[in-house]
């Protein structure tokens, strides 16, 4: 026996414990009397002195062990009672920590054995039973194995029998019920207790409203809720009609508890209903008992009292769960567009899709709601300490698989086909007019619209240093620009009905005059656009809503147009179709505002906006964009052009903060959804747009919105009007797929001002979204663009993302049954009547925009200074070209030394947009390209340091056709890098081929980076590859593996964290996961041998650190990130130059960062939308599965109900205090 430490000999407590230990050893005569006396003295000290309680459980003290040893050995009842009271006093004040000490010392086993012994007495000692159960209820939640211990010990039914035999003895059965509740956390115990009649017993204790015995009622409800989590017990309750009983009890307490003193009891009843409705039979019984209407009405009555929110939230959870699963109103969940693959994969989701019988209903199946088997399969889980240690099975633990192994993968002879993409390695520049070290002045060509401006998001707008677009003094700034600005814009002439036959001829004669040149929207051109004619004639207004007629005037440089208000018949296509390869813009709007008012409003708003000339993108050309669209091949054969893509986008001059989430917004939206079931007669349920039904008529009513998505990158499949100003929207699946619904881009028109329109996108699949954390969708107003504000802006209120009642078939969920879709909901109030507005998931960047961008860059660069080459890497499945760009500096001269320096520059390989829905990757790439092509001295230095090989869009087909994640093959291209198929994944096959060729000729890129977007995290960050850090996360001692690794992979992210405001080092990860072994980042690292192989992820939402903390991200910040990435490469070059051998220790302090890192890498949990990288949990969790506030279930001190305290209920202030604590 351990000796009691008595360092403080004067301590009375220590002295008494020492005496008690001697009694246990049997060295003291009359031990029973002595033990009784000593324990009573200790009890007195414990009750009266906090110091004594601390001494008992202080570190190094054996006081608890002595007490437990005495309890285990004594036969004296009074001594037992004294000791039990001592233990209750000790742990009542210390809370969980002291209860843990008791559990660790074996207290649970001793108490259960004592309970078993005491139960054999006839009758059992009531006081002893009360104290034993009170103590067990307090320490039980801290002992994860108490259920198993009680079952093995045979103590399980003792408490149940005590309750059965003493129903009127509330003092005894209260702690017994608390212990039963603890036992019931084990499903095996719950089933065992259920077979012995515990469910029926609980319904004898609970009942209608009564002010008596409220504490007993609360504990009984908590116990019942825990028991009903067992499917066996839940079925037993349903079979006996207890669902109706629970609803009746709840309504009774709701009606009588007018002062809300018994909120905890009402919550307890709801918890019981919540448990029983976990099974299908329970949900059916709930619906049959009119439970939806009962809980809806009671929760609406509770909304006025904030302290009753837990009741409203729990009611909402129950109603959501019991809401009957609905079929998604589609004929098939496969894409509305079909593309026949040249080769069908042998296995995988695409193969399954093609092998489905034609008569199979893939939208929903019978198994969707069958989430509980009728056969009992309760599993013992208490032996698994799942929460004790975090474990991720997805992290690669095989060090042999982690070690990079450079493999060409293809014969060298075959790789020689890529030699033609590297002419810079053999070019002699004999016929080139090369510049010397002092570059010649850059003379722009006639088509140049201005110098390339490096994106600098940090620049402040200054009216003193820059001119706004209003009143731009073009003639003084640049004569070339003046000519461009004063060019007469030729507006699109729409053919009349009787001249349609001649339209193709007209187009051939004037193809370049299809659209207005909005290259630089100065104020005069904007005013001209404001007056754009919307002429109609009696002869053709039934076919065309608008017609823009060219009216050339000899004395003006602008087209003067008149406005006619009638726009009664709106064509669903917007305006007349051209034949052949022609394209046309969507419909413009006529607001009916007088021209004088419009002019004055435009003038005043122009002063406020302050758009600088430098803000207008020099690489956007409206005419050129139309030309690019003509060569873009889409599966639906789009003939329309969306106005935002045509006009272009200028970042707004104001900050867009992350939206603060209003309290209760998700609950309110769910409540409105539940009203659809309760008040079905109020639902319009009218289809107003449908890609599957081309004969779907466009509504002619003035108060119904019109929708369209038939343009490049558009995605909207179906729209159903639910209420007057509420619409359900359904997104299209990726082509050759039956899922991936997240990206949206569509047009809305026919709106009124001053009305809040609610849009619900109802078939999203990810389990959570940044829409729950302050992200807003984007809107582009054509009217605002015509008023000199052509920009995408963040809009929407009452935004949330939550699980809905539309059922997903197991076919689309990878075999998983019972899954539901999710809803993005937002409300928008439009500024202009009859405007044409576009909504998008993120800033759109189309394939045609990229082609225009690259062509402008090529035409604007100085060939004497910049080596720029654009090749076609390959053709996609749809026949679109995949651009490959090479950028570096021209050699100083054609002398041998300069040519050698040129050829020996290290390569940097960049790629982007493998996932079409991650449009932010293209904006970052735009920033990178424009910086590399700029006249900035640092950019020139960068070009002289590296040769850049860039594939700016790896998935053109997916981008063109509005896919979210896949190519036309229906597969995620970023999962094909390990073994790409040249027929199905040509862009990946040849991109990898380029890298394999560089490896074969011993010219490995210094850096490879694939630009992505991330939908669940904030900031910009990187993922890299490290053996050491991967092993670190698997709890394997890296040092034991004799592992040496160059930490250079951390240098570039560290540099970016110091130079790029949006970049966050804390979000970076360098762990290699099994599920990512076929991504670009891992394959280029492992097979090609590039140590600095990265994925750079940009948030879709905003930043929570640094300069942009609290702001949503915009194109200005994204482009700046692309430029800052280049700056980081330049700094990386300087740091690794021979002049600077040693890197700053702060950049390579890997050990400390690993030790301090709290980053947990988790595997994707959803089949269809696995993130490229780990999930991220926000600091405040607005779960898409529940309501706004995470209502804590049962606290650790569930056994602390005292009958005397709650006998008369809670006062209003007490109730509020409990809720707010």
């Amino acid at each position: 026996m351990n000796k009691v430490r008595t360092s403080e000999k004067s301590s009375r407590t220590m002295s008494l414990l020492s005496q008690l230990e001697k009694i246990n050893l049997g060295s003291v005569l009359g031990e029973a009397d002595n033990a009784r006396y000593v324990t009573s003295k200790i009890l007195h000290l414990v009750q009266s002195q906090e110091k004594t309680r601390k001494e008992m459980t202080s570190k190094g003290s054996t006081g608890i062990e002595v007490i437990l040893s005495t309890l285990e050995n004594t036969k004296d009842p009074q001594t037992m009672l004294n000791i039990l009271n001592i233990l209750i006093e000790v742990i009542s004040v210390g809370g969980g920590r002291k209860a843990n000490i008791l559990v660790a010392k074996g207290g649970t086993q001793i108490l259960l054995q004592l309970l078993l012994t005491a139960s054999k007495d006839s009758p059992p000692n009531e006081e002893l039973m009360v104290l034993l159960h009170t103590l067990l209820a307090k320490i039980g939640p801290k002992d994860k194995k108490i259920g198993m211990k009680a079952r093995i010990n045979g103590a399980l039914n003792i408490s149940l029998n005590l309750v059965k035999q003493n129903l009127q003895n509330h003092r005894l059965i209260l702690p017994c019920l608390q212990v039963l509740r603890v036992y019931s956390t084990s499903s095996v115990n719950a089933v065992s207790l259920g077979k012995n009649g515990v469910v029926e017993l609980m319904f004898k204790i609970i009942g209608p409203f009564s002010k008596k015995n409220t504490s007993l009622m609360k504990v009984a409800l908590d116990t019942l809720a825990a028991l009903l989590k067992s499917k066996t017990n839940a079925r037993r309750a349903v079979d006996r009609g207890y669902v109706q009983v629970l609803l009746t009890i709840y309504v009774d307490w709701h009606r009588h508890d007018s002062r809300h003193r018994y909120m905890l009891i009402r919550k307890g009843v709801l918890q019981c209903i919540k448990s029983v409705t976990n099974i299908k039979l329970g949900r059916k019984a709930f619906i049959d008992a009119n439970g939806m209407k009962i809980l809806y009405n009671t929760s609406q009555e509770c909304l006025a009292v904030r302290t009753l929110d837990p009741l409203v939230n729990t009611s909402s959870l129950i109603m959501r769960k019991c809401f009957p699963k609905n079929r998604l109103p589609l004929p098939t969940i496969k894409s509305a567009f079909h593309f026949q693959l040249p080769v069908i994969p042998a296995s995988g989701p695409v193969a399954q899709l093609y092998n489905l019988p034609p008569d199979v209903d893939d939208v929903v199946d019978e198994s969707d709601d069958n989430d509980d088997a009728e056969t009992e399969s309760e599993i013992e889980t208490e032996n698994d300490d799942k929460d004790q240690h975090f474990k991720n099975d997805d992290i690669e633990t095989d060090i042999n698989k982690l070690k990079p192994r450079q493999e060409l993968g293809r014969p060298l002879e075959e790789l020689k086909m890529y030699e033609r993409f590297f002419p810079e390695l053999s070019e002699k520049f004999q016929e080139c007019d090369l510049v010397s070290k002092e570059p010649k002045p850059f003379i722009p060509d006639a088509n140049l619209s201005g110098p390339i401006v490096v994106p600098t998001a940090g620049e402040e707008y200054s009216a003193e240093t820059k001119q706004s677009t209003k009143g731009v003094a073009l003639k003084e700034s640049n004569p070339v620009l003046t000519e461009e600005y004063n060019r007469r814009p030729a507006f699109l002439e729409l053919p009349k009905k009787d001249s349609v036959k001649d339209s193709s001829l007209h187009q051939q004669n004037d193809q370049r005059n299809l659209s207005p040149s909005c290259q630089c929207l100065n104020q005069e051109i904007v005013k001209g656009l404001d007056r754009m004619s919307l002429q109609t004639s009696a002869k053709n207004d039934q076919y065309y809503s608008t017609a823009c007629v060219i009216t050339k005037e000899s004395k003006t440089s602008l087209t003067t147009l008149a406005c006619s208000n009638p726009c009664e018949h709106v064509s669903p296509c917007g305006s007349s179709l051209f034949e052949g390869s022609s394209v046309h813009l969507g419909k413009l709007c006529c607001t009916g505002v007088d021209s004088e008012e419009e002019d004055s409003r435009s003038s005043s708003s122009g002063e406020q906006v302050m758009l600088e000339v430098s803000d207008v993108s020099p690489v956007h050309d409206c005419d050129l964009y139309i030309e690019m669209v003509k060569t873009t091949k889409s599966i639906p054969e789009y003939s329309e052009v969306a106005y935002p893509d045509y006009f272009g986008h200028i970042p707004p001059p104001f900050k867009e903060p992350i939206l603060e989430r209003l309290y209760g917004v998700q609950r309110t939206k769910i409540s409105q959804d539940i009203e659809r079931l309760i008040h079905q007669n109020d639902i319009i349920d009218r289809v107003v747009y449908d890609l599957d039904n081309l004969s779907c008529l466009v509504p002619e009513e003035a108060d119904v919105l019109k929708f369209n998505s038939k343009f490049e990158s558009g995605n909207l499949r179906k729209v159903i009007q639910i209420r007057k100003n509420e619409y359900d929207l359904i997104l299209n699946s990726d082509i050759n797929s039956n899922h991936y619904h997240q990206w949206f881009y569509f047009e809305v028109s026919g709106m009124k001002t001053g009305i809040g329109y609610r849009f619900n996108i109802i078939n999203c699949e990810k389990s959570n979204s940044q829409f729950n954390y302050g992200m807003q969708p984007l809107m582009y107003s054509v009217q605002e663009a015509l008023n000199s504000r052509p920009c995408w802006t963040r809009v929407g209120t009452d935004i949330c993302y939550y699980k809905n009642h539309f059922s997903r078939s197991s076919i689309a969920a990878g075999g998983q049954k019972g899954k539901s879709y999710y809803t993005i909901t937002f409300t928008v109030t439009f500024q202009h009547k009859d405007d044409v507005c576009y909504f998008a998931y993120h800033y759109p960047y189309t394939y045609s925009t990229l082609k225009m961008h690259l062509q402008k860059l090529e035409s604007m660069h100085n060939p004497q200074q910049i080596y720029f080459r654009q090749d076609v890497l390959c053709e996609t499945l749809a026949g679109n070209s995949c651009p490959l760009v090479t950028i570096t500096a021209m050699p100083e001269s054609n002398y041998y030394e300069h040519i050698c320096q040129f050829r020996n520059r290290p390569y940097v390989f960049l790629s982007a947009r493998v996932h079409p829905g991650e449009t932010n990757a293209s904006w970052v790439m735009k920033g990178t390209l424009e910086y590399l092509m700029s006249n900035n001295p640092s950019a020139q230095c960068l070009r002289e340091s590296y040769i850049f090989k860039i594939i700016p869009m790896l998935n053109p087909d997916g981008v063109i056709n509005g896919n979210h994640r896949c190519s036309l093959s229906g597969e995620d291209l970023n999962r094909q890098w390990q073994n790409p198929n040249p027929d199905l994944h040509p862009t990946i096959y040849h991109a990898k081929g380029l890298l394999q060729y560089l490896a074969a000729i011993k010219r490995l890129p210094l850096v490879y980076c694939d630009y992505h977007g991330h939908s669940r995290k904030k900031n910009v960050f990187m993922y890299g590859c490290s053996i050491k850090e991967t092993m670190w996360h698997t709890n394997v001692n890296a040092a034991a593996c004799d592992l040496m690794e160059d930490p250079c992979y951390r240098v570039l992210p560290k540099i970016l964290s110091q130079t790029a405001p949006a970049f966050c080092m804390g979000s970076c990860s360098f762990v290699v996961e099994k599920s990512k072994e076929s991504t670009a980042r891992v394959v280029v690292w492992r097979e090609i041998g590039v140590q600095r192989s990265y994925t750079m992820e940009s948030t879709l939402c905003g930043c929570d650190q640094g300069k942009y903390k609290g702001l949503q991200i915009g194109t200005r910040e994204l482009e700046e990130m692309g430029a800052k990435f280049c700056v980081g490469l330049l700094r990386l070059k300087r740091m690794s130059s021979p002049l600077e051998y040693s890197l700053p220790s702060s950049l390579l302090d890997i050990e400390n960062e690993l030790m301090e890192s709290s980053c947990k890498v988790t595997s994707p949990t959803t089949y269809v939308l696995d993130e490229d990288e780990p999930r991220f949990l926000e600091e405040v969790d607005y779960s898409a599965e529940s309501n706004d506030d995470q209502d804590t279930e049962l606290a650790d001190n569930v056994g602390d109900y005292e009958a005397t305290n709650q006998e008369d209920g809670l006062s209003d202030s007490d109730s509020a205090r409990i809720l707010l604590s």
Side-chain angles (χ1 to χ4, degrees), residues 302-357:
C302 292
L303 286 175
V305 184
R306 184 70 176 265
T307 54
L308 297 182
D309 276 359
L311 301 183
V312 179
N313 289 340
T314 307
S315 296
S316 178
L317 286 173
I318 295 168
M319 289 187 285
R320 290 179 69 185
K321 184 166 50 176
C322 296
F323 202 116
K325 295 283 186 180
N326 286 359
R327 173 194 175 95
L328 205 62
L330 291 175
T332 174
I333 52 173
K334 289 183 288 190
S335 173
F337 308 130
H338 177 70
F339 176 80
Q340 183 62 42
L341 293 176
V343 179
I344 309 300
S347 60
V350 179
Q352 295 172 12
L353 201 69
Y354 272 84
N355 293 329
L356 276 179

Side-chain angles (χ1 to χ4, degrees), residues 449 484-485 487 489-491 515-522 525-526 529 532 585 616-617 620-624 643 645-650 780 785-786 790:
S449 61
E484 182 72 12
Y485 269 97
R487 230 168 25 101
F491 290 102
S515 49
S517 174
C518 302
Q519 189 168 337
C520 299
L521 287 171
N522 68 9
I525 290 181
V526 165
L529 288 172
M532 184 175 287
L585 295 172
V616 182
S617 176
H620 189 86
D621 184 323
C622 302
D623 293 336
L624 182 57
Y643 273 99
D645 305 322
Y646 172 74
F647 279 128
H649 159 75
I650 299 172
Y780 190 106
L786 295 177

Side-chain angles (χ1 to χ4, degrees), residues 649 842-845 919-927 1115 1118-1119:
H649 159 75
H842 199 66
Y843 300 92
Y845 190 101
T919 57
N920 45 358
S922 283
W923 288 98
V924 176
M925 181 58 77
K926 179 176 183 286
T1115 57
L1118 292 169
E1119 291 183 53

Side-chain angles (χ1 to χ4, degrees), residues 157 160 164 188-200 227 230 232-233 236 240 376:
N157 289 318
L160 178 59
K164 286 181 178 178
V188 176
N189 287 350
V191 173
S192 176
L193 291 168
K195 290 177 181 177
N196 289 324
V198 70
V199 176
E200 294 82 355
L227 289 163
S230 157
T232 301
N233 291 340
R236 183 176 282 109
R240 285 159 177 73
E376 185 59 54

Side-chain angles (χ1 to χ4, degrees), residues 853-1015:
H853 186 187
L854 293 178
Q855 187 158 327
K856 290 293 290 185
L857 286 176
E858 185 168 13
S859 67
M860 293 161 63
H861 86 283
N862 181 354
Q864 297 176 330
Q865 189 175 352
I866 302 175
Y867 180 97
F868 180 93
R869 179 183 174 90
Q870 185 180 170
D871 295 293
V872 175
L873 176 63
C874 62
E875 280 200 347
T876 65
L877 292 178
N880 293 292
S881 60
C882 178
L884 170 66
V885 177
T886 306
I887 301 174
T888 188
M890 291 293 282
E892 184 180 344
S893 72
N894 53 18
Y895 290 139
Y896 176 77
E897 294 82 0
H898 292 153
I899 298 296
C900 282
Q901 189 277 336
F902 174 88
R903 293 178 181 175
N904 288 317
R905 294 170 187 166
Y907 276 94
V908 171
F909 202 109
L910 306 177
S911 59
R913 206 69 186 281
V914 70
H915 295 141
E918 297 169 7
T919 57
N920 45 358
S922 283
W923 288 98
V924 176
M925 181 58 77
K926 179 176 183 286
T928 295
L929 288 168
E930 291 187 11
Y931 184 88
L932 289 175
M933 297 294 289
S934 72
N935 297 330
N936 191 305
S938 296
Q940 176 63 18
C941 184
L942 188 63
R943 290 191 295 267
E944 292 171 355
S945 301
Y946 300 109
I947 300 173
F948 287 87
K949 285 289 179 184
I950 301 173
I951 307 176
M953 192 171 284
L954 278 166
N955 191 352
D957 288 346
V959 171
I960 293 165
N961 294 288
N963 283 6
H964 174 67
R965 196 168 184 86
C966 300
S967 69
L968 292 185
S969 70
E971 296 168 297
D972 181 348
L973 290 183
N974 203 36
R975 294 295 185 277
Q976 311 304 323
W977 278 80
Q978 225 172 15
N979 189 27
N981 185 308
D983 297 318
L984 293 175
H985 326 116
T987 60
I988 304 302
Y989 180 82
H990 293 295
K992 185 177 182 181
L994 292 176
L995 289 159
Q996 289 171 324
Y997 175 76
L998 285 174
I1001 63 172
K1002 310 300 182 186
R1003 293 295 301 272
L1004 275 181
L1006 180 71
V1007 172
Y1008 170 76
C1009 190
D1010 192 20
Y1011 292 3
H1012 281 255
H1014 205 291
S1015 67

